[in-house]
Amino acid sequence: MEVMRPAFASLRWSAPRRTARPLYRCLHHSSPRYAQPLPNPSVPGPPPEAPTPAPSDPLERVARKRKQAELLKQAQEVRTTASYPKTLLKKRFWKDVTVKESEDGLQVYLDSRPVRTPSKAILSVPPTKHQLATAIALEWDLLVSAQQALKTHYIPMTSLAARALDIEKEDGDGKTEIRDFITRMLLRYLATDTLLCWAPEKNIHDAPQDSASLRQLQIKTAEPIIAYICSHVWPGVEIKPILEPDSIMPVSQPEMTKSVVRGWVSGLPAFELAGLERAVLASKSLLVGVRLIHEWGEAFAQAREAADAARFGIEDAAKASSLEVAWQTGQWGEVEDTHDVEKEDLRRQLGSVVLLVGGESS
């Protein structure tokens, strides 16, 4: 008897053929969205101008700065409350500030107590520097607490005069540690003097201002100062620009120039040396500081009369040392509460130098 087989029994089973799997898997199931083209604007004419910030109201700026000053004052009070208990530092223990003459010079008194330097010596300035003594007395009269006297930015003239007196005392003791340190520092500034770092002749990012490039303005500003110094301060000395027109590698000054500058700086009187240090740190230029000191220092009164040159003041020194900053802000704009503050602070520091080195003969 023949067994009946189903029709599908003769079919052979074969494994499904494997296909290459994709290297990635799509995890989302939303339908793709395509960009919808928008019709062209129907408004005729050129596109609108870019938005510009509205000019700030001067009264609004003053109010904002007062608010910031009040917040800063509150923060300082919070920080000092834990570290300083309620002692005499929190209050002003003097009523009147006066300037008195003594055998040692002019001294500033807080009622009956003389102002002293950080080394506990009585601060006495030469009798010819009445303006300096008055400035020191004024800044002490503006203090509202003894705690403020611990911070040098509240009493800049006092700290600057104390620096000069420290140099004078060290000279009397036959020591030269401070003088040598200042001399080495000032010579380093000569190697990168702001007045001698002239911009390249061609710069694609700078647009000429007043029909002159930045390099031309720098040369026009620096040449009179260099000519005066090479004629009346360091006669016969050669001062070369630090940067060539098409190079970024600095050029070193001649060895004879360095030797003359080193000898001149190391021989300055104490007050002129301290003033030169402050002027160079503020202006980043040894030449600008030397020109300012030579113009106002008591030690150079006779040399100024022989020179018979135009007066070089605080504004001239500030403009000469910040010419590149003025160029950039004129081209790209000024940052509020930054460039304006730095501009006034530079003039404040240069003014303190004039008060320090000046006297009756100035």
Side-chain angles (χ1 to χ4, degrees):
M1 179 177 179
E2 185 178 358
V3 179
M4 299 295 295
R5 295 182 179 180
F8 57 84
S10 60
L11 298 179
R12 294 182 180 179
W13 180 86
S14 60
R17 182 177 300 177
R18 295 184 178 180
T19 58
R21 295 182 178 179
L23 298 179
Y24 64 92
R25 297 181 63 185
C26 187
L27 300 180
H28 64 84
H29 301 281
S30 59
S31 59
R33 297 181 179 180
Y34 300 97
Q36 299 293 334
L38 299 176
N40 294 328
S42 59
V43 180
E49 297 181 355
T52 56
S56 59
D57 187 8
L59 297 179
E60 182 182 352
R61 292 180 56 187
V62 172
R64 185 174 67 254
K65 290 184 178 181
R66 286 180 178 176
K67 184 177 179 181
Q68 293 174 354
E70 184 64 26
L71 294 176
L72 180 60
K73 182 179 179 181
Q74 294 177 2
Q76 291 176 347
E77 291 177 354
V78 170
R79 287 197 300 267
T80 56
T81 299
S83 56
Y84 289 97
K86 294 182 178 181
T87 61
L88 292 177
L89 291 177
K90 283 292 186 179
K91 60 180 67 175
R92 171 173 165 165
F93 59 83
W94 66 92
K95 293 183 179 180
D96 299 323
V97 182
T98 56
V99 178
K100 298 181 181 180
E101 295 186 6
S102 65
E103 296 180 356
D104 298 329
L106 300 175
Q107 299 175 354
V108 178
Y109 276 79
L110 310 179
D111 292 338
S112 60
R113 304 176 183 179
V115 174
R116 297 179 179 270
T117 65
S119 59
K120 305 302 181 181
I122 297 177
L123 193 147
S124 301
V125 301
T128 57
K129 298 183 180 294
H130 290 279
Q131 295 179 348
L132 174 60
T134 303
I136 295 174
L138 179 61
E139 65 186 13
W140 279 90
D141 194 36
L142 293 176
L143 298 181
V144 297
S145 67
Q147 182 179 339
Q148 291 181 342
L150 301 178
K151 301 177 181 179
T152 56
H153 62 272
Y154 279 107
I155 48 173
M157 296 307 305
T158 304
S159 60
L160 189 56
R163 176 68 166 175
L165 293 176
D166 288 342
I167 299 174
E168 192 174 58
K169 182 179 182 303
E170 192 179 75
D171 292 342
D173 296 339
K175 301 178 182 179
T176 60
E177 183 178 353
I178 300 178
R179 188 174 290 272
D180 293 342
F181 170 79
I182 296 176
T183 302
R184 290 193 302 268
M185 181 197 66
L186 296 184
L187 283 175
R188 290 199 299 268
Y189 271 93
L190 179 63
T192 58
D193 200 294
T194 301
L195 200 68
L196 301 177
C197 289
W198 299 341
E201 185 64 35
K202 296 180 181 180
N203 191 342
I204 61 175
H205 301 292
D206 289 340
Q209 300 179 16
D210 299 330
S211 302
S213 64
L214 176 57
R215 184 180 182 87
Q216 293 172 349
L217 291 177
Q218 288 175 324
I219 295 175
K220 182 180 178 181
T221 303
E223 282 182 344
I225 301 176
I226 296 175
Y228 180 92
I229 292 176
C230 294
S231 300
H232 305 289
V233 184
W234 308 322
V237 168
E238 179 187 6
I239 299 178
K240 298 163 47 175
I242 294 175
L243 297 178
E244 297 292 342
D246 299 324
S247 175
I248 60 174
M249 298 300 296
V251 177
S252 179
Q253 299 295 335
E255 290 298 328
M256 187 191 73
T257 301
K258 297 179 182 179
S259 178
V260 171
V261 173
R262 184 182 296 106
W264 184 86
V265 171
S266 60
L268 284 175
F271 279 80
E272 277 72 13
L273 182 60
L276 181 60
E277 181 187 23
R278 171 65 63 87
V280 173
L281 291 176
S283 64
K284 305 300 184 293
S285 171
L286 176 62
L287 300 183
V288 171
V290 169
R291 180 70 178 90
L292 189 67
I293 293 297
H294 196 271
E295 185 65 46
W296 297 95
E298 280 190 299
F300 306 108
Q302 297 180 355
R304 285 196 301 271
E305 295 177 359
D308 192 19
R311 197 73 168 177
F312 188 81
I314 299 172
E315 193 66 25
D316 299 321
K319 288 182 178 179
S321 59
S322 58
L323 181 60
E324 185 175 358
V325 177
W327 171 277
Q328 297 293 345
T329 55
Q331 184 170 358
W332 305 105
E334 186 178 85
V335 178
E336 186 180 354
D337 294 337
T338 300
H339 289 111
D340 52 350
V341 174
E342 293 177 353
K343 185 187 303 182
E344 297 302 325
D345 184 67
L346 174 60
R347 285 156 176 79
R348 177 188 64 83
Q349 296 193 53
L350 295 176
S352 66
V353 173
V354 173
L355 285 176
L356 179 71
V357 302
E360 294 178 354
S361 58
S362 300

